[in-house]
């Protein structure tokens, strides 16, 4: 009808490829890009362009299936390959491949920007962090993880996990459908490893201190249960020492409880 807008043509994917995480790299399978030093003529599936070229070659080889009628020998393959329409379409296909490779490179870079998750040495980096994020023992506190610094790191990686979670599992790039679920799962796993190492350190530290506190309370109760005979100064001194130790230990439990509150905030304690 007059004035009716022409509907935009929808391109449906012709081929499905996968985006994987492998050996510290993010790679397409099959590979979209030509690998330097690899002979694509020997391996038609070495990369996307080699695959498409092999398909086109197979189609154009149809011209070699018909014997020429104007001369006694030969076929029509050269005429087919050199036909203006064929040459034009080949140029369009090469341009489309160039555009697809550029978009695939851009799409892959989105995931490569998170490569620090697996290229940064996890344990070594964490050990260096702990050297800066551990408060020394004082009269009113035991040696304690700096909860502010740990809180900041845990929040950082928790937010990163949430950010990765919303990444799409499939993405269309022109005539390609990219299955990005494998690399997404790998990224989630690495973000989880970074989160866990900070959480586990706090859990282990708190469990160790609670275990020591339980042993201390048991020994203190045993010490307080001993009756002090009248006039026995040695036993009185020992009993007063137990009370002194209890008061000193009580002053140091505050920071430990703060650690428990932080872990409960991140659902690390039930």
């Amino acid at each position: 009808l007059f004035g009716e807008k022409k509907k935009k043509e929808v391109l449906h994917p012709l081929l499905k490829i996968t985006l994987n995480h492998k050996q510290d790299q993010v790679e397409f399978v099959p590979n979209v890009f030509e690998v330097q030093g690899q002979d694509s003529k020997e391996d038609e599936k070495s990369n996307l362009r080699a695959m498409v070229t092999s398909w086109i070659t197979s189609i154009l080889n149809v011209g070699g299936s018909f014997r020429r009628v104007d001369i006694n020998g030969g076929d029509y393959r050269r005429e087919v390959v050199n036909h203006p329409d064929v040459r034009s379409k080949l140029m369009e296909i090469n341009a489309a491949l160039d555009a697809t490779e550029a978009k695939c490179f851009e799409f892959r870079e989105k995931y490569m920007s998170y490569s620090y998750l697996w290229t940064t040495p996890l344990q070594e980096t964490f050990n260096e962090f702990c050297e800066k994020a551990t408060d020394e023992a004082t009269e009113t506190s035991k040696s304690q993880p700096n909860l502010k610094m740990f809180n900041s790191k845990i929040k950082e990686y928790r937010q990163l996990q949430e950010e990765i979670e919303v990444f799409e599992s499939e993405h269309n790039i022109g005539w390609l459908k990219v299955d990005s679920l494998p690399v997404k799962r790998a990224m989630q796993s690495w973000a989880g490893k970074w989160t866990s190492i900070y959480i586990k350190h706090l859990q282990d530290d708190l469990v160790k201190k609670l275990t020591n506190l339980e042993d201390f309370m048991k020994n203190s109760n045993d010490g307080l249960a001993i009756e002090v005979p009248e006039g026995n100064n040695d036993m009185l001194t020992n009993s007063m020492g137990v009370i002194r130790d209890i008061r000193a230990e009580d002053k140091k439990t505050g920071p430990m409880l703060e650690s428990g509150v932080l872990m409960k905030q991140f659902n690390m304690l039930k």
Side-chain angles (χ1 to χ4, degrees):
L1 298 176
F2 180 77
E4 183 180 0
K5 292 184 179 180
K6 185 178 179 180
K7 292 184 179 180
K8 186 177 180 181
E9 184 179 0
V10 179
L11 294 177
H12 296 284
L14 299 176
L15 184 66
K16 186 174 182 178
I17 62 176
T18 304
L19 190 61
N20 285 336
H21 168 257
K22 183 180 179 182
Q23 297 178 350
D24 294 342
Q25 293 295 324
V26 176
E27 299 178 348
F28 288 102
V29 180
N31 194 10
V32 173
F33 315 105
E34 293 184 88
V35 180
Q36 189 175 5
Q38 188 177 54
D39 189 356
S40 58
K41 293 182 179 179
E42 294 182 3
D43 186 1
E44 296 178 351
K45 295 183 180 180
S46 62
N47 59 74
L48 188 63
R49 189 178 291 269
M51 291 174 62
V52 174
T53 300
S54 70
W55 298 341
I56 295 174
T57 301
S58 298
I59 295 172
L60 296 180
N61 281 339
V62 173
S65 302
F66 300 92
R67 293 177 61 84
R68 299 185 69 89
V69 296
D70 54 347
I71 57 177
N72 291 329
D75 53 45
Y76 291 97
R77 190 180 188 282
R78 179 176 294 180
E79 281 75 5
V80 171
V81 172
N82 292 326
H83 193 280
D85 290 343
V86 174
R87 304 295 295 179
S88 176
K89 289 299 179 183
L90 287 175
M91 291 178 64
E92 289 182 20
I93 292 172
N94 279 316
L97 283 170
D98 290 340
T100 299
E101 288 178 355
K103 290 179 180 178
C104 285
F105 180 83
E106 182 181 347
F107 182 69
R108 186 188 65 171
E109 285 303 296
K110 168 186 174 182
Y111 293 87
M112 281 298 295
S113 64
Y114 295 87
S115 62
Y116 64 89
L117 288 172
W118 54 81
T119 57
T120 305
L122 177 59
Q123 191 63 53
E124 180 182 336
T125 302
F126 178 71
N127 291 341
E128 292 175 357
F129 170 82
C130 284
E131 291 179 3
K132 303 175 182 177
T134 301
D135 297 332
E136 298 296 329
T138 65
E139 293 183 357
T140 58
S141 175
K142 298 179 180 180
S143 177
Q144 179 82 7
N146 187 299
L147 299 182
K148 185 176 181 180
M149 295 178 69
F150 271 86
N151 182 32
S152 176
K153 279 293 183 182
I154 294 172
K155 278 186 175 180
E156 176 186 340
Y157 288 108
R158 280 285 175 89
Q159 290 173 359
L160 190 59
Q161 286 178 291
E162 294 174 0
E163 184 178 318
I164 296 172
E165 179 63 31
V166 299
F167 280 10
E168 54 195 347
S169 299
E170 287 187 339
H171 181 75
N172 291 344
I173 301 178
W175 50 281
L176 292 178
K177 180 183 286 292
V178 180
D179 177 13
S180 53
L181 184 59
V183 70
K184 176 182 176 180
R185 285 176 173 170
M187 290 168 59
Q188 288 174 320
S189 175
W190 275 104
K193 289 178 182 179
W194 281 96
T195 306
S196 296
I197 197 170
Y198 290 94
I199 291 175
K200 188 175 185 303
H201 181 80
L202 291 181
Q203 289 176 328
D204 291 345
D205 181 76
L206 181 60
V207 169
K208 180 180 178 180
K209 287 175 178 174
L210 288 175
T211 301
N212 292 338
L213 179 61
E214 183 180 14
D215 294 338
F216 173 81
M217 292 173 63
K218 182 177 181 301
N219 293 331
S220 298
N221 287 333
D222 292 340
L224 292 175
I226 299 175
E227 293 187 10
V228 179
E230 186 176 351
N232 191 325
N233 293 331
D234 290 339
M235 293 189 66
L236 178 62
T237 301
N238 290 338
S239 181
M240 295 297 292
V242 172
I243 296 174
R244 177 201 62 212
D245 292 342
I246 292 174
R247 289 175 177 174
E249 185 70 21
D250 182 58
K251 293 178 181 179
K252 299 178 181 180
T253 57
M256 182 176 64
L257 296 177
E258 292 176 9
S259 181
V261 171
L262 176 62
M263 285 191 284
K264 192 170 184 180
Q265 174 185 338
F266 288 107
N267 296 320
M268 292 180 275
L269 292 177
K270 294 184 180 180

